[in-house]
Amino acid sequence: MASPVQAASASAAPAPSAGAEAAAPAAPGRMRWAILALLFASTVLNYVDRQTLSILAPMVQKDLGMDDIGYAQVVQFFLIAYTIAYLLAGWLTDRLGTRLALALFVGWWSLANMATGLVRSAGALGGARAMLGLGEAGNYTAGPKAISEHFPPQERGFAFGTYTAGAMVGATIAPPLIGWLALTQGWRAAFVVTGALGFVWLAAWLAIYPRGKVGPTVTAEPTLWRAILRERPLWGFALSRMLADPVWYFYLFWFPKYLSDERGLNLATIAATAWIVYLAADLGSIGGGVFSGRLIRRGIDPARSRLIGLAVAAVLAPVGMAISTGPAIPLTFAIAAAVAFAHLVFQINLSTLVVDLYPTRVVATVFGIVAAGSGLGGIFSTQLVGRLAQSGHYDQVFLLMGMLHPLAALVAWLSLRSQPRSALRSPDQAD
């Protein structure tokens, strides 16, 4: 039986030939760094818009008469739409191209976030957040495709880490920004203002991103869905995301509520301190990509480098179980920061592994299917977390979350053990 490295290498590094997809972007230049900066900015906005509700949850719940189960249902609406959208967004990105697809996604979710500020009922809130989810998923199919088009393998980890760090920057600046807007202008204005920022980004994206085909030559023959769905590692990676990502959803959607409900912190205090957790996630995002990139430069092949990153994260993440004992607030934040750091190391390396293994022409479709596992994990976990939170059993939630990363890392490793040659590549094709 082939090792994970041998199997992945057989899939990821066939011999190139004339007319095949290029092994790396053709003549990468400075433009790729401007594109990376815009991807970073779109991800900042993505998480500011997403995080707005979790930060303002106590105010919104009070105004709309919602309990924690109702709040969990609203989060579920978002996650269900988000998961479904991944399957369509990946195909749409490969079909429309990165430039047009991401412009469509950002415009859609920005309007949805602005609409959230107009709702008058819990049902309308759920509908607005579902519309947000339909747009936000596209950011994470267009981004990998852009990275695959513009960055060679040794730079992809760093590019993925930088682009994904936008999520944590968004989550870091969201508490003080949204808290200030809500306390000075009202919670409704916070949604409208943060949503409107997306249209500023949209103008810059359309002005800067090159028109037409970029990166490797795209083959004329489309890849059939049945060929994609036969890829064994794809399902393993999706399952790995389904297991690991509920941890991040918990710290994103529920940790501010935990600090308020169980630890007695007010909105101003949470807004002033919660950024520490998301700053640690930033460090994990960039650091996780740099770490595996350096392993590649030392001669370790890309697949093994990413797996080592997953293993490091799986060892660190269970420290979050210690929060179940109710440690002092500073220590609680330190532990939560360590979990956020570990999760982003895990996510960056798993995501980059997908880009390493699959050709550019289908990478958004493949990534959409894998990322749908993330949404499924959120759907399955959110209702459980809501019920445990409603009954005051946050300690059980922290214990459960601490078990997930080791299991997810094992699944990712097993998915590569006997990986056959990818059916998505012709015998003479390289990417």
Side-chain angles (χ1 to χ4, degrees):
M1 180 176 291
S3 70
V5 179
Q6 292 168 331
S9 297
S11 165
S17 69
E21 293 186 45
R30 294 180 181 177
M31 177 60 72
R32 74 189 191 280
W33 301 112
I35 290 170
L36 182 59
L38 286 170
L39 292 174
F40 173 85
S42 73
T43 310
V44 170
L45 293 173
N46 187 281
Y47 260 70
V48 168
D49 289 353
R50 187 184 310 191
Q51 190 77 340
T52 303
L53 179 59
S54 63
I55 292 168
L56 300 180
M59 297 176 70
V60 176
Q61 285 179 261
K62 182 179 179 180
D63 197 14
L64 300 183
M66 296 169 55
D67 60 13
D68 282 345
I69 298 299
Y71 174 72
Q73 290 172 343
V74 169
V75 174
Q76 285 279 57
F77 286 138
F78 168 84
L79 290 171
I80 291 170
Y82 189 65
T83 302
I84 294 171
Y86 262 128
L87 302 176
L88 177 61
W91 174 84
L92 198 60
T93 301
D94 284 329
R95 184 80 173 179
L96 298 180
T98 307
R99 181 179 186 271
L100 181 57
L102 190 53
L104 174 65
F105 299 141
V106 174
W108 179 284
W109 93 58
S110 298
L111 286 173
N113 199 57
M114 295 175 73
T116 306
L118 307 177
V119 303
R120 299 291 173 179
S121 67
L125 178 64
R129 301 320 272 180
M131 298 301 286
L132 182 78
L134 287 176
E136 286 209 334
N139 192 68
Y140 303 102
T141 60
K145 188 174 183 70
I147 289 171
S148 181
E149 288 171 341
H150 293 279
F151 290 85
Q154 66 270 23
E155 292 182 352
R156 284 176 185 165
F158 173 76
F160 239 114
T162 301
Y163 137 72
T164 307
M168 275 52 65
V169 170
T172 301
I173 67 174
L177 172 63
I178 294 167
W180 175 77
L181 284 170
L183 292 172
T184 59
Q185 307 296 324
W187 67 264
R188 295 181 183 279
F191 286 101
V192 174
V193 171
T194 54
L197 293 174
F199 293 95
V200 178
W201 178 93
L202 187 59
W205 175 256
L206 293 175
I208 293 174
Y209 200 91
R211 295 175 179 270
K213 301 294 184 183
V214 294
T217 302
V218 178
T219 57
E221 183 180 354
T223 300
L224 297 178
W225 272 95
R226 65 173 177 264
I228 295 175
L229 297 178
R230 284 199 299 263
E231 291 290 306
R232 293 183 203 168
L234 181 152
W235 300 107
F237 297 153
L239 178 58
S240 185
R241 288 289 300 269
M242 186 172 71
L243 290 169
D245 283 14
V247 178
W248 179 243
Y249 287 126
F250 170 70
Y251 281 90
L252 182 66
F253 292 122
W254 293 96
F255 190 63
K257 276 184 61 59
Y258 162 76
L259 295 173
S260 174
D261 296 347
E262 297 294 312
R263 308 305 294 270
L265 301 187
N266 58 33
L267 177 59
T269 303
I270 293 172
T273 55
W275 62 269
I276 296 170
V277 176
Y278 306 116
L279 176 61
D282 280 332
L283 298 176
S285 179
I286 297 175
V290 170
F291 174 70
S292 60
R294 287 185 176 178
L295 293 180
I296 293 171
R297 288 185 173 90
R298 292 180 180 179
I300 300 175
D301 71 73
R304 185 178 179 186
S305 299
R306 314 306 183 198
L307 290 174
I308 292 172
L310 298 184
V312 170
V315 170
L316 179 58
V319 71
M321 291 181 177
I323 299 179
S324 66
T325 64
I329 291 297
L331 183 56
T332 296
F333 275 108
I335 296 171
V339 175
F341 176 89
H343 177 75
L344 267 295
V345 170
F346 186 97
Q347 182 177 320
I348 290 306
N349 282 284
L350 184 61
S351 298
T352 311
L353 184 56
V354 174
V355 176
D356 288 338
L357 293 180
Y358 293 100
T360 298
R361 73 184 189 279
V362 296
V363 73
T365 301
V366 170
F367 202 89
I369 295 171
V370 172
S374 169
L376 287 174
I379 291 168
F380 295 147
S381 65
T382 295
Q383 200 65 27
L384 174 61
V385 171
R387 294 189 179 280
L388 290 173
Q390 181 85 351
S391 60
H393 291 135
Y394 275 102
D395 56 337
Q396 296 179 18
V397 178
F398 284 109
L399 291 174
L400 173 63
M401 295 299 158
M403 302 175 186
L404 296 180
H405 279 93
L407 185 57
L410 177 62
V411 168
W413 180 77
L414 290 174
S415 71
L416 287 177
R417 283 195 64 197
S418 58
Q419 156 67 352
R421 180 180 175 77
S422 173
L424 298 178
R425 299 170 184 272
S426 62
D428 64 347
Q429 185 180 45
D431 186 30

